[in-house]
Amino acid sequence: MARLIGYMANRADRLRDAFLQERLAIAVLPVDQRGAWGIGFYQGDEVLHKKQPAPDGEPIDWDVIAAKIQTDCAIAHLRQATVGGFSVDNTHPFRLRQWLFAHVGTISAFDEIKAPLLASLPDFLRRNIRGTSDSELFFHLVLAGLHTRNQLDAAEPSQTTVVESIGDAVKQIDELAKNAGSRSTLNMILCNGRTMYALRRGPSFGYTEQLGLPNPEEPAEGRPRPGSPALQYTMLVSGGNDVPAGYKSLDDSTVAALTRDLRIVTHNI
């Protein structure tokens, strides 16, 4: 089962601890299944990736993956290929400039509507698409909305602008796929390192707000690390059949905007 995880925190040195704390919520595939994984994260002004673009037979442990990553803002994704095969170019999160994006779900009738969706993009965005997944095209539809509003390179576009761009992409997909017989599932996370946007348009999508995870003990000394504030974070999780226990559920057709002060504001699309 796919997983989509968004994370924003007050410290850059505790990603592994947060993943351990939320291990039941972000649990990945059963031991007899495999998937590709990727994590995109911010370190200052840098946008970085780590990816395993094809199943390699090894269990996927997010806390192991996160052990050497220093970040206070990240998107993690576990993929089981539905549209597009396993490859680096089809592995989430996708990136353009400061933007990261990941998606769980499927665009209905994608083979039939792919051509008109591509044709609607500006040339520079169409040329940037490297893979064959519906998710990467969805990302570029959102970017096209930001470009149309002259906000693609803005340091901090307004939440209204980003939500409208997401909503336009969803409406465009829905209109072209309206005769498919099923609604596209479009749960996704979009981030520019300052604000994280989570759309629920499909199965469960929930979030938790941790307001003070105590410092772990240092194995060598057996006492808490001194001098640092307790970890605070907000984590968004999608991909399970139900919202994880203790998580708040996002309403369908809602975008949650998570800001650097770890507050969430919701918008309807």
Side-chain angles (χ1 to χ4, degrees):
M1 184 175 294
R3 275 292 187 276
L4 175 60
I5 304 163
Y7 171 80
M8 195 173 284
N10 67 331
R11 291 174 56 171
D13 62 337
R14 301 285 304 279
L15 178 63
R16 180 176 183 271
D17 295 330
F19 277 7
L20 280 170
Q21 178 74 11
E22 305 301 330
R23 58 191 175 278
L24 296 180
I26 65 175
V28 292
L29 297 172
V31 294
D32 60 341
Q33 299 182 43
R34 293 291 176 260
W37 61 265
I39 182 167
F41 52 98
Y42 295 85
Q43 290 182 344
D45 294 330
E46 288 191 278
V47 188
L48 303 172
H49 280 125
K50 290 182 71 173
K51 294 186 177 184
Q52 172 59 257
D56 64 358
E58 294 297 321
I60 298 168
D61 294 315
W62 284 123
D63 59 300
V64 174
I65 294 167
K68 296 182 180 180
I69 295 177
Q70 297 287 308
T71 188
D72 56 6
C73 183
I75 299 174
H77 186 270
L78 173 70
R79 179 172 186 258
Q80 291 181 289
T82 54
V83 178
F86 288 113
S87 69
V88 172
D89 290 335
N90 288 336
T91 304
H92 309 222
F94 303 103
R95 178 196 170 189
L96 179 74
R97 300 173 189 170
Q98 78 273 27
W99 294 100
L100 286 172
F101 175 96
H103 161 234
V104 289
T106 305
I107 294 178
S108 297
F110 182 65
D111 289 342
E112 290 76 17
I113 71 174
K114 180 179 179 179
L117 289 175
L118 281 169
S120 72
L121 295 175
D123 286 345
F124 80 99
L125 287 176
R126 188 163 53 248
R127 291 194 302 268
N128 187 67
I129 294 177
R130 300 287 184 263
T132 58
S133 72
D134 53 347
S135 303
E136 187 181 17
L137 182 47
F138 182 19
F139 176 35
H140 283 73
L141 293 173
V142 178
L143 295 175
L146 292 168
H147 172 69
T148 298
R149 294 170 172 84
N150 297 313
Q151 293 295 297
L152 182 59
D153 294 314
E156 186 57 273
S158 71
Q159 290 187 19
T160 298
T161 296
V162 179
V163 172
E164 287 177 350
S165 298
I166 294 169
D168 286 353
V170 171
K171 291 172 186 174
Q172 186 178 1
I173 291 168
D174 284 349
E175 179 61 26
L176 287 171
K178 62 185 177 183
N179 297 321
S182 62
R183 190 175 75 155
S184 300
T185 49
L186 301 173
N187 286 8
M188 67 89 190
I189 293 176
L190 173 76
C191 189
N192 64 356
R194 298 170 185 253
T195 304
M196 185 174 287
Y197 297 88
L199 166 67
R200 179 184 174 193
R201 243 297 299 265
S204 66
F205 209 146
Y207 67 95
T208 186
E209 297 168 294
Q210 175 60 251
L211 300 179
L213 188 65
N215 287 324
E217 291 188 348
E218 291 283 5
E221 300 178 9
R223 63 175 183 269
R225 297 170 184 163
S228 296
L231 174 64
Q232 299 181 36
Y233 63 81
T234 298
M235 189 172 290
L236 299 131
V237 177
S238 180
N241 293 324
D242 301 297
V243 172
Y247 276 54
K248 302 174 184 177
S249 179
L250 297 178
D251 292 334
D252 196 53
S253 297
T254 294
V255 175
L258 170 61
T259 53
R260 276 295 185 176
D261 59 4
L262 305 183
R263 296 186 180 184
I264 280 186
V265 177
T266 58
H267 307 262
N268 295 323
I269 60 167

